[in-house]
Amino acid sequence: MKIAQIIVDNKCKETDRVYSYLIPQGLKIKVGHRVIVPFGRGNKKIAGYVVGLKSNTDLEMSKLKAIAGLPSDDIFLSADMLKLIKWMREKYLCYYIEAIHGALPANIRIKNTYIYELNQNSKNIDLLKEGNPQTLMDILDFMEENGGRAIKEELRDNFNDNLLENAVKKLIKLGVLKKHQKVKSQENIMYEKFVYPDTETAEIPANAKKQRLLMDTVSSKPGISIKALQKDYAIGKATIDNLLSKGFIRIEEKETYRLVQERIQAESKKILTKEQCRALGEIEECFKKGSHILLHGVTGSGKTEIYLQLIEAELKKGKQGIVLVPEISLTPQMIRRFVSRFGDTVAVLHSGLSNGEKYDEWRRIAEGKAKVAIGARSAIFAPFEKLGIIIIDEEHENTYKSENRPKYDAREVAMKRCDIEGAHLLLGSATPSIESYFKATNKLNNMALVSINTRVNNKVMPNIKIVDMREELKSGNKSIFSHSLAEEIKIALGQKDQIILFLNRRGYSTFVSCRSCGFVAKCPNCNISLTYHAKGNYLTCHYCGYSRPNPKECPSCKSSYIKYFGIGTQRVEREFQNTFDNVDVLRMDADTTTRKNSHKLILDKFRNKEASVLIGTQMIGKGHDFSDVTLVGIITSDTYLNLPDFRAGEKTFQMVTQSAGRAGRGDKPGTVIIQTYSPEHYSLLYAKNHDYVGFYKDEIKMRKEMNYPPFSHLGHIVISGIGEDAVVKAAKEAGKLLNKLRGDDCNIEIWGPSPAPLSRINNRHRWQLVLKAVKEEEVLKIFRDFNNSAFLNLEEVSVSMDINPLNML
């Protein structure tokens, strides 16, 4: 008898292993199948995924349980995807099933529920009706009204959870209720009915206007849906049923998809510039040698057209492609470009879709109906059988790193998947991450560099001006808008041009700054901004634990204009409307994009010139192409700059350069105003000159001197809980354990424990420890030992572990 190796759908440390199950006679099981298996002492039915097959085992055959069922013949996980999942488990220290869940849409998963049936023969029913709690009586009445049968969810919807559990247990014990487990799939394939003519001649009475309309419509539009007939022609069900019974029409039910892409006019391949041709040729040569590519192209250099032509080349070979974008807000723009080129062979995968829509798109890919997948981070797992290329646009963005288990980096996963499946990988950005550029320039990890240094058709880069907000304050201007920005806004509005006002609000940690001289309180040990804590009014470093009282006056200039820093998009919008009359303004931030498709609606309005000004956060600061935008105002460039993060300079340069790149992409030149309290900072000066290489050279020197990535690898442990004392105690114990695991290895640094920068979230206190080592495997080894220790069994606290984190707030 054959044996299946199965990962069970049970998210638990103790069950994170491969189990052996017997394959019943006649059941054709393959690797990648999803099965139902009995599990645990009570043989509860749960889902599992087949990861291997074998004909013998060291275990005693009589003790092996048999697979209970095969819900469908679908292969959900290919052999290559299983290799990737195994690698993710080891790399990101997650459970097998967490990696599997990350690779599959939610609708794939099997859901467990229970059915309760009333035992009409039980003698205890009548006895219960006398002198028992009202809840028991109400449950019995509910069951009788529903035919003596109800599922668990129905009872929960009608009864208090706290009372329900005990009441049901008592009824089962008395034999009044019987309980059955039900395993059901959440897959929900949609079907739609379509109408076709079924006769060449149909005798319809002259006064039957609706019947005539139906026949004429079906004859001219065979295969029209019943939904369309009812909505667009007001033809009712009775009319359809009448002609169906007469044999004049027939109805076919077909599978349909929830997500319908808007029809976009087909776009032909564009003629590449000399720079684009050179870059494309270099990319193709590197691909032939088996190298991965970092494409460093300035904003507006035409990287997207290169992506399109690379994808087209793979499609001609019978291969498929994945394109990742960092933000949902960028997805509509990329979809529009790709759909115009490749039509309905493009599938979309991102968090803005419903579970049903994601499932439909996933099936289109799995069934070979889609050849290109576009989406955010999770699209990296698109189930292509013949993957030819993965393209990651704006590769420097932090959103490619998951903050939930498994805490994977889509760039690393993409590289591993390409290595496994023999596909090409291209990372693209105008402002590559320091780590990626370091690898490409030093030819590490099989990475090569290709650069484009000019915009398409040699359009000039925008003119960037840095405004010192300290001088604005001295001149008496306390407005959000500097004199320079206000003047440029008036000019742009007068010329009927469009304006983007960008507010870098993506810093959750509050820093202390002097508005008079620009001083920022920093740690003397780490050269990182100190974080302000309102409770206790003190400043602390969340790397080494250094702390000091919050100063009442600026230590540098003795000014009283020193305080924690913060500003919001609503305030910018309000002040703009108070300053500039009768101007249509759109705001795009977390508050205005909560509804489905809200990103697309706002951007479409701006693209259609329904508003002159777009105000927003990081979601408008990259990737967008608006030909009429001539002015970009960066309200404050200091937020990233003063985060308690060694990547602060890099993030600031990227933010300013990307935001500035939205200006002057059409025929008119662009202007960018950067407002700052640190006008002398090297990241701003290099951004002003559009000089990534110069910035990189300065930044990499600092990284090497401080032994920060890419010259080292970090590990981040966060311990959180409701009780502050329990968290502090656990953090200190974790510190002792980590030092014990490190032993005499002085190559590994351990910082902390100390309060996390966001020391309290949702009433949970947070402390952290940071590990640093030259080799990644050294950090992973301590993490694995720590993960396998009894420490993680603590009940009062939760422990989160992340390798090479991009966000340590």
Side-chain angles (χ1 to χ4, degrees), residues 114-117 142-143 146 148-152 154-155:
Y114 290 95
I115 298 173
Y116 297 97
E117 290 183 354
F142 179 84
M143 296 290 291
N146 285 273
R149 199 168 186 268
I151 63 171
K152 185 178 183 179
E154 289 174 330
L155 291 175

Side-chain angles (χ1 to χ4, degrees), residues 105-107 257-262 327-329 331-332 335 346-365 372-376 378-379 593-600:
N107 278 30
Y257 301 107
R258 297 165 179 84
L259 185 66
V260 180
Q261 296 291 354
E262 63 177 305
E327 299 270 2
I328 297 174
S329 63
T331 314
I335 292 168
V346 177
V348 182
L349 293 168
H350 60 73
S351 60
L353 306 180
S354 68
N355 283 342
E357 287 171 334
K358 287 181 202 169
Y359 175 57
D360 285 351
E361 294 297 278
W362 187 91
R363 280 190 302 112
R364 286 211 305 131
I365 295 168
V372 182
I374 298 176
S378 61
T593 54
T594 53
R595 292 188 176 184
K596 188 171 182 176
N597 295 324
S598 50
H599 296 86
K600 182 178 182 300

Side-chain angles (χ1 to χ4, degrees), residues 3 20 55 122 194 261 265 322 373 405 449 457 554 577 618 639 658 667 672 709 756 783 803 806:
I3 296 160
S20 294
S55 55
S122 174
F194 299 89
Q261 296 291 354
Q265 186 175 353
I322 296 172
R405 286 173 63 112
L449 176 67
N457 297 326
C554 175
Q577 291 171 331
Q618 74 277 354
T639 309
Q658 291 287 341
D667 296 328
V672 180
F783 264 24
I803 185 73
L806 297 181

Side-chain angles (χ1 to χ4, degrees), residues 469-516:
M469 295 302 284
R470 298 172 299 185
E471 295 300 319
E472 295 287 318
L473 185 66
K474 288 176 184 177
S475 69
N477 180 17
K478 296 182 181 180
S479 165
I480 288 174
F481 307 109
S482 63
H483 293 303
S484 295
L485 180 55
E487 187 61 31
E488 291 291 345
I489 289 172
K490 289 176 186 175
I491 293 171
L493 292 174
Q495 296 175 345
K496 307 292 184 185
D497 294 334
Q498 288 185 296
I499 300 165
I500 288 178
L501 297 178
F502 175 76
L503 178 63
N504 184 25
R505 201 185 59 178
R506 197 173 179 164
Y508 303 104
S509 177
T510 306
F511 62 92
V512 168
S513 175
C514 175
R515 288 189 67 188
S516 182

Side-chain angles (χ1 to χ4, degrees), residues 43 148 157 165 191 226 412 462 484 504 544 547 581 592 650 658 671 674 700 739 753:
N43 285 326
D157 289 343
E165 189 173 349
Y191 292 92
I226 289 180
E412 294 176 341
S484 295
N504 184 25
C544 71
S547 64
D581 296 330
T592 62
E650 177 186 8
Q658 291 287 341
T671 300
I674 302 172
I700 205 72
N739 277 289

Side-chain angles (χ1 to χ4, degrees), residues 232-270:
D232 300 336
Y233 298 92
I235 296 173
K237 184 176 181 297
T239 304
I240 295 170
D241 289 344
N242 192 326
L243 293 194
L244 183 65
S245 64
K246 292 176 181 178
F248 294 167
I249 59 173
R250 75 178 191 277
I251 293 176
E252 292 183 12
E253 190 174 60
K254 297 179 182 178
E255 183 182 337
T256 189
Y257 301 107
R258 297 165 179 84
L259 185 66
V260 180
Q261 296 291 354
E262 63 177 305
R263 293 193 176 276
I264 298 171
Q265 186 175 353
E267 176 189 290
S268 58
K269 186 191 295 187
K270 292 183 179 179

Side-chain angles (χ1 to χ4, degrees), residues 88-137:
M88 285 177 63
R89 175 181 178 259
E90 294 169 357
K91 174 70 184 282
Y92 301 114
L93 303 170
C94 63
Y95 302 142
Y96 269 123
I97 197 62
E98 288 175 324
I100 289 172
H101 284 172
L104 295 175
N107 278 30
I108 293 295
R109 299 172 202 170
I110 296 288
K111 185 179 179 183
N112 285 312
T113 190
Y114 290 95
I115 298 173
Y116 297 97
E117 290 183 354
L118 195 60
N119 184 4
Q120 302 288 0
N121 298 323
S122 174
K123 297 177 181 178
N124 290 322
I125 291 181
D126 293 330
L127 294 174
L128 278 171
K129 291 182 178 179
E130 298 177 11
N132 267 287
Q134 186 61 41
T135 304
L136 296 181
M137 300 302 97

Side-chain angles (χ1 to χ4, degrees), residues 355-424:
N355 283 342
E357 287 171 334
K358 287 181 202 169
Y359 175 57
D360 285 351
E361 294 297 278
W362 187 91
R363 280 190 302 112
R364 286 211 305 131
I365 295 168
E367 292 167 4
K369 295 174 182 175
K371 308 295 183 184
V372 182
I374 298 176
R377 184 177 60 229
S378 61
I380 194 61
F381 302 109
F384 288 119
E385 287 186 4
K386 297 178 181 178
L387 184 64
I389 189 169
I390 296 175
I391 295 171
I392 302 183
D393 191 32
E394 310 290 3
E395 72 83 28
H396 61 277
E397 284 293 329
N398 283 8
T399 49
Y400 288 124
K401 172 80 172 178
S402 172
E403 294 189 3
N404 301 312
R405 286 173 63 112
K407 296 191 174 187
Y408 67 90
D409 188 318
R411 289 158 293 203
E412 294 176 341
V413 174
M415 187 173 288
K416 186 64 178 180
R417 185 170 182 186
C418 286
D419 289 344
I420 290 171
E421 301 187 34
H424 303 307

